Each structure stands twice: as structure tokens, then as C-alpha cells.
């Protein structure tokens, strides 16, 4: 009888312990795995949002940098072209200029009298927009002699206007040239001149359009990190009474 009582007591204690363990709070293996998977998905989602935010911020910063650098180059080039009308007998844009390479004579300087300088601007390999300046070999040369051969064949200076420059998507030109027709100038196909310019067509150029895409200094060409810049430089007033450069 005592043996039976001991066994029954052991059974009761074991049953109570099992009931206590069953009633205790906790996670099963399946519940733990589900929780881990859900937590991983949540962390990945947060990281994805953070990464997208960082990328957008970087793209915006790159576009600001590209805009600043490209705008400085565009304004400098436009100023030089707008100051290139120095004498009625001197063609502004020179023969040989084409869609990625322009030669022009300008008097853009701090001096009060015309001090002609021959400029060569072109898109070099690696996306470098270059500007070379050629000095007049004889400052006393009359205006009729202000032709390319009158300038030193070696540039007095060469500078980089902008880096990471390319054609605007869908185009294949940096420069386009337009002429007056019956005293009227318009930026359209009717007034556009064929390139490369000949001596006869170079003297007829009344306006030059400039357009290029510029990216950040890290040389990225991604669309969301580049900016398109365009401008039009009017070189001479319409020919006729009171027209011309001087």
C-alpha cells in the first residue's frame, strides 16, 4: 500500500510540473522562426528606404555641383561670344567651326580698346570642354588683317571650362549656327547653317546656340545626376543702315 501511495504521489507531482510548464509563457520553434523572418523583412525595408533616401540626396547634390560648374562655363563662353562683334569687316565665327568645335575672334577683355583674341573651344576626349586663346602677333595690324593667320599659332593659354561634359541626350552637337535672312534671325531649320562652316557661310553667322550636358566631378553620366544647359549668343545686329558691328 505504501508503495502504491509513493507512486501515486510521484505521478501527481510530475503531472503538476508538466501542467505548470505547459501553462508557462514562451515561444515555440515555429513562432520563433516566424518572428525572425518578420524582423528581417522589417529591417531590410528600413534599410531600403534609407538607401533610397541617401541616393536621392547624393543625386541632388551632384546635380547642384554640375549646375554650378556648367553654368560658369556656359556664362563665360556666352560672354566671349557676345563680345565678339569687334569690327564690321571681321567675321566673328571662323571657317572650319562645326558642331563640337568653334573658332571665333573676340575683344572680351578689360581694356577700353579692341584687343582681338582668337578663341578655339572644343569638346576634348574625356568630356573636357577646352578653351584655347591665341594672341594677335601684331597689335598694330589693321582690322582688315585680323584673320586667323595673323594670330600666334601657339595658344597663349588653354583652360578647361568644364569637366564631364557630353552631348545632350538625343543630340549630337554642342554648337549650332544661324544666319539672318531678309533682316530676320530665328533659331530654326530655315536659318540654320550647314557645318563645318565655309568662309562664305562663317561671315553670315548671326547667332550661335550652345547646349551640353554636364555631370558631377566623379565623372558619372547617370541621367539623374547630370543637368542640361543651353544658351543662345547673338553675335551681330541685323545688317543694313545702323547695323553691323561698328
Amino acid at each position: 500500500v505504501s508503495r502504491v501511495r509513493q507512486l501515486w504521489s510521484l505521478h501527481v507531482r510530475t503531472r503538476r510540473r508538466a501542467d505548470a510548464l505547459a501553462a508557462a509563457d514562451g515561444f515555440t520553434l515555429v513562432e520563433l522562426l516566424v518572428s525572425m523572418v518578420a524582423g528581417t523583412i522589417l529591417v531590410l525595408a528600413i534599410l531600403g528606404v534609407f538607401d533610397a533616401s541617401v541616393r536621392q540626396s547624393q543625386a541632388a547634390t551632384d546635380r547642384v555641383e554640375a549646375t554650378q560648374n556648367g553654368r560658369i562655363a556656359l556664362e563665360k563662353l556666352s560672354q566671349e561670344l557676345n563680345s565678339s562683334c569687334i569690327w564690321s569687316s571681321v567675321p566673328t565665327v571662323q571657317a572650319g567651326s562645326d558642331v563640337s568645335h568653334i573658332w571665333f575672334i573676340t575683344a572680351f577683355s578689360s581694356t577700353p580698346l579692341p584687343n582681338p583674341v582668337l578663341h578655339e573651344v572644343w569638346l576634348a576626349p574625356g568630356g573636357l570642354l577646352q578653351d584655347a586663346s591665341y594672341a594677335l602677333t601684331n597689335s598694330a595690324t589693321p582690322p582688315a588683317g585680323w584673320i586667323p593667320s595673323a594670330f600666334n599659332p601657339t595658344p597663349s593659354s588653354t583652360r578647361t571650362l568644364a569637366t564631364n561634359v557630353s552631348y545632350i541626350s538625343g543630340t549630337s552637337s554642342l554648337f549650332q549656327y544661324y544666319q539672318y535672312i531678309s533682316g530676320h534671325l530665328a533659331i530654326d531649320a530655315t536659318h540654320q547653317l550647314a557645318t563645318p562652316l565655309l568662309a562664305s557661310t562663317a561671315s553670315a553667322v548671326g547667332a550661335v546656340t550652345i547646349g551640353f550636358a554636364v555631370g558631377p566631378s566623379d565623372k558619372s553620366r547617370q541621367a539623374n545626376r547630370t543637368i542640361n544647359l543651353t544658351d543662345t549668343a547673338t553675335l551681330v545686329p541685323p545688317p543694313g543702315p545702323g547695323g553691323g558691328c561698328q
Side-chain angles (χ1 to χ4, degrees):
V1 174
S2 79
R3 181 61 177 171
V4 172
R5 288 179 178 177
Q6 290 177 355
L7 292 174
W8 177 254
S9 178
L10 177 61
H11 170 73
V12 171
R13 289 197 300 269
T14 302
R15 183 61 181 271
R16 288 176 178 175
R17 186 176 299 172
D19 292 342
L21 290 175
D25 292 335
F27 295 100
T28 64
L29 180 59
V30 174
E31 291 173 335
L32 184 60
L33 290 175
V34 171
S35 299
M36 290 176 62
V37 170
T40 301
I41 294 175
L42 179 61
V43 170
L44 291 177
I46 294 174
L47 290 177
V49 172
F50 178 75
D51 182 65
S53 177
V54 170
R55 289 177 180 274
Q56 290 180 354
S57 177
Q58 184 61 51
T61 300
D62 289 341
R63 287 173 65 87
V64 170
E65 178 193 359
T67 300
Q68 291 175 341
N69 296 337
R71 181 63 63 184
I72 292 174
L74 185 64
E75 289 181 354
K76 182 63 176 177
L77 184 53
S78 296
Q79 285 179 342
E80 291 177 344
L81 283 168
N82 285 324
S83 301
S84 60
C85 186
I86 58 178
W87 210 274
S88 58
S89 60
V90 179
T92 296
V93 180
Q94 301 298 304
S97 298
D98 57 27
V99 296
S100 62
H101 199 135
I102 184 172
W103 294 83
F104 62 95
I105 298 175
T106 179
F108 182 70
S109 69
S110 59
T111 59
L113 297 176
N115 183 26
V117 176
L118 178 65
H119 282 271
E120 177 189 12
V121 179
W122 74 100
L123 182 60
L128 300 178
L129 186 61
Q130 302 282 76
D131 181 6
S133 301
Y134 300 81
L136 194 65
T137 55
N138 182 359
S139 58
T141 302
W146 290 348
I147 56 178
S149 60
F151 293 85
N152 195 316
T154 302
S156 55
S157 66
T158 301
R159 58 183 174 171
T160 299
L161 295 177
T163 60
N164 199 11
V165 175
S166 60
Y167 296 125
I168 293 175
S169 178
T171 69
S172 57
S173 64
L174 264 68
F175 309 108
Q176 293 183 330
Y177 310 90
Y178 299 86
Q179 64 178 330
Y180 284 97
I181 297 179
S182 301
H184 178 68
L185 178 66
I187 308 302
D188 58 26
T190 301
H191 295 77
Q192 186 173 357
L193 293 166
T195 56
L197 296 177
L198 306 175
S200 58
T201 56
S203 60
V205 175
V208 178
T209 60
I210 311 163
F212 55 83
V214 60
S217 56
D218 65 0
K219 298 184 179 181
S220 171
R221 296 287 178 84
Q222 294 178 0
N224 65 334
R225 300 177 67 192
T226 60
I227 191 75
N228 296 335
L229 297 173
T230 60
D231 197 6
T232 300
T234 301
L235 309 183
V236 297
C245 292
Q246 295 187 20

